[in-house]
Amino acid sequence: MSLVGSEVKASSPQLKITPELKEKFPMKPHHEKLAFKCVDCHEGQGDDPENFKAIDDKGCLSCHKTKQYLADRLKFMDALHVNPHNSIHDGPKLYCDECHFEHKKSENMCLSCHSNDVKIWMRPTP
């Protein structure tokens, strides 16, 4: 989905977003606040959310620009080598879905090795 020029594609007329659907596939509060619909990210995937495929980095970056842009936004964290979007291990090359998930709780991949110290210098993963 692209927000260029404030253009947001309309939802599929066959896809009715019910309270049950919202409960089964919850959205991040900031995406819900922007009134995103399923097809904004799952464009061209039909009208049955059960069959939707996960979007890849290209889908995330259609709104969130580039990995380098995200790394630069968090450059203030580089002094401690804790910028998750410019990792000391991987640079700005990680896949978005290594940490971020839309329809379930996101996970901070750094915690898999840095379980004690990450809690000190990083907020929960959005």
Side-chain angles (χ1 to χ4, degrees), residues 22-74:
K22 284 184 175 188
E23 184 176 335
K24 187 167 188 172
F25 300 105
M27 290 177 61
K28 302 258 183 227
H30 51 280
H31 289 162
E32 191 164 11
K33 186 175 181 179
L34 292 169
F36 283 3
K37 304 291 183 239
C38 301
V39 295
D40 291 333
C41 295
H42 298 283
E43 183 179 7
Q45 294 190 24
D47 58 9
D48 183 358
E50 296 289 342
N51 295 324
F52 288 170
K53 307 266 186 282
I55 64 170
D56 58 13
D57 283 3
K58 185 178 176 185
C60 298
L61 296 174
S62 68
C63 290
H64 292 280
K65 301 185 181 187
T66 67
K67 291 180 182 184
Q68 188 60 56
Y69 171 82
L70 294 168
D72 291 344
R73 266 186 76 200
L74 297 173

Side-chain angles (χ1 to χ4, degrees), residues 19 38 64 98 100 102 104 107-108 115 126:
C38 301
H64 292 280
E98 292 197 61
H100 302 279
E102 181 62 30
K104 64 180 184 177
E107 298 173 6
N108 186 330
S115 60

Side-chain angles (χ1 to χ4, degrees), residues 4 17 31 45-46 52 54 57 63 71 74 87 89 95 106 116 118:
V4 176
I17 300 174
H31 289 162
Q45 294 190 24
F52 288 170
D57 283 3
C63 290
L74 297 173
S87 154
H89 305 295
Y95 295 110
S106 293
N116 293 323
V118 170

Side-chain angles (χ1 to χ4, degrees), residues 5 12-13 15 21 30 33 70-71 91 109:
S12 169
L15 179 60
L21 190 62
H30 51 280
K33 186 175 181 179
L70 294 168
M109 186 183 75

